[in-house]
Amino acid sequence: MESLISTGLAQLDLPAYPADAAAKLAKYGNLLIEQNQVMNLTAITQPFDVATLHMLDCAPLLNCGRLEHAKLIDVGTGAGFPGMVLKTLCPTLSLTLLDGLQKRLSWLETVAEELALEGVTTLHARAEEAGQDGSLREQFDFATARAVADLGLLCEMCLPFVKVGGRFLAMKGPECQEELDRAARAIPTLGGVLKGCYDYRIPHTDITHRVVVVEKVAPCPAKYPRRWAKMQKAPL
């Protein structure tokens, strides 16, 4: 797995990253495969797929903003993607992992220790509630999400965390134009502007993915994010 990751990272034209990053990401992958036997973390379980569809899929986000010494919140982090990959590649990044399941977060704390990653905080909360917390609201340079939720819903959950001048990076497939169209009203309502889309091919595969880059240009109105049921019932 380390060789796959190492050669894949070299193909992505990333900013400088530590020499031991591939080894650490391979160790992370092996820990994921091992833990997945007792905890449902991922449907991707083969080493080749873990290396490509997890590690190398997340790495290109480094090309979507200056992450050095930045504060990033990974919303609905799950098994730690993309946050833990970005932290491994950019050790000066201050990372907060938000998830609704404490068991996953406890495991990620163990992984951070195993990989000797400092500056990783876990937060057990629902995104729509945490986004109304004054200690978290508009406190981050970046928010990330690698989720199946519609882009408009993701923006309402994630943009409240981002400070003006920061960015929300949403991981999507290349066929997301309909989602972009549906989110056309939500993004400016939440204080954002669509900066563009960054498409990339995952090394060692024929798969193309996309990062939707939303820049925060104004404070998010206080009433957002709303409760999850309200978001689903009446999308912006």
Side-chain angles (χ1 to χ4, degrees):
M1 198 183 307
E2 181 179 344
S3 177
L4 273 172
I5 294 171
S6 180
T7 56
L9 292 175
Q11 295 175 29
L12 288 171
D13 193 28
L14 300 174
Y17 52 85
D20 63 351
K24 285 190 174 184
L25 290 175
K27 184 175 183 178
Y28 176 20
N30 286 322
L31 290 169
L32 173 66
I33 292 169
E34 179 182 352
Q35 186 66 19
N36 202 62
Q37 296 175 12
V38 295
M39 183 189 300
N40 183 23
L41 291 168
T42 178
I44 297 170
T45 57
Q46 297 302 311
F48 177 87
D49 295 334
V50 170
T52 55
L53 303 183
H54 280 323
M55 307 306 170
L56 295 176
D57 185 27
C58 295
L61 271 72
L62 264 74
N63 289 327
C64 297
R66 292 184 60 85
L67 270 61
E68 298 89 349
H69 302 286
K71 291 179 64 178
L72 183 148
I73 185 167
D74 189 17
V75 178
T77 189
F81 303 114
M84 289 286 280
V85 175
L86 300 178
K87 174 65 176 176
T88 303
L89 293 167
C90 184
T92 64
L93 180 69
S94 176
L95 175 65
T96 297
L97 301 170
L98 184 152
D99 200 78
L101 188 62
Q102 182 60 55
K103 286 198 302 183
R104 282 196 291 252
L105 294 173
S106 297
W107 176 72
L108 286 168
E109 290 170 2
T110 301
V111 173
E113 291 178 9
E114 291 276 345
L115 302 184
L117 299 178
E118 299 180 356
V120 178
T121 302
T122 60
L123 178 61
H124 179 220
R126 294 180 63 88
E128 65 272 24
E129 295 172 359
Q132 291 289 359
D133 185 331
S135 66
L136 299 167
R137 188 177 178 87
E138 301 192 328
Q139 296 299 306
F140 296 89
D141 302 294
F142 294 91
T144 55
R146 188 195 196 203
V148 296
D150 192 80
L151 182 61
L153 295 177
L154 285 178
C155 286
E156 186 168 352
M157 286 190 289
C158 295
L159 276 173
F161 291 110
V162 181
K163 63 178 67 172
V164 174
R167 290 182 171 186
F168 168 42
L169 308 178
M171 298 183 70
K172 289 288 180 182
E175 306 299 328
C176 67
Q177 187 58 50
E178 289 186 9
E179 284 191 55
L180 285 167
D181 293 342
R182 288 195 296 271
R185 180 175 179 272
I187 291 172
T189 299
L190 297 161
V193 63
L194 180 62
K195 192 71 175 176
C197 295
Y198 173 64
D199 291 353
Y200 59 93
R201 184 183 61 81
I202 302 174
H204 310 303
T205 78
D206 294 323
I207 299 170
T208 298
H209 278 175
R210 168 175 291 176
V211 182
V212 178
V213 181
V214 179
E215 190 160 311
K216 188 77 169 285
V217 295
C220 185
K223 65 180 179 179
Y224 303 116
R226 300 165 294 166
R227 300 186 70 84
W228 176 244
K230 182 68 171 176
M231 284 191 229
Q232 288 184 303
K233 184 177 180 180
L236 292 175

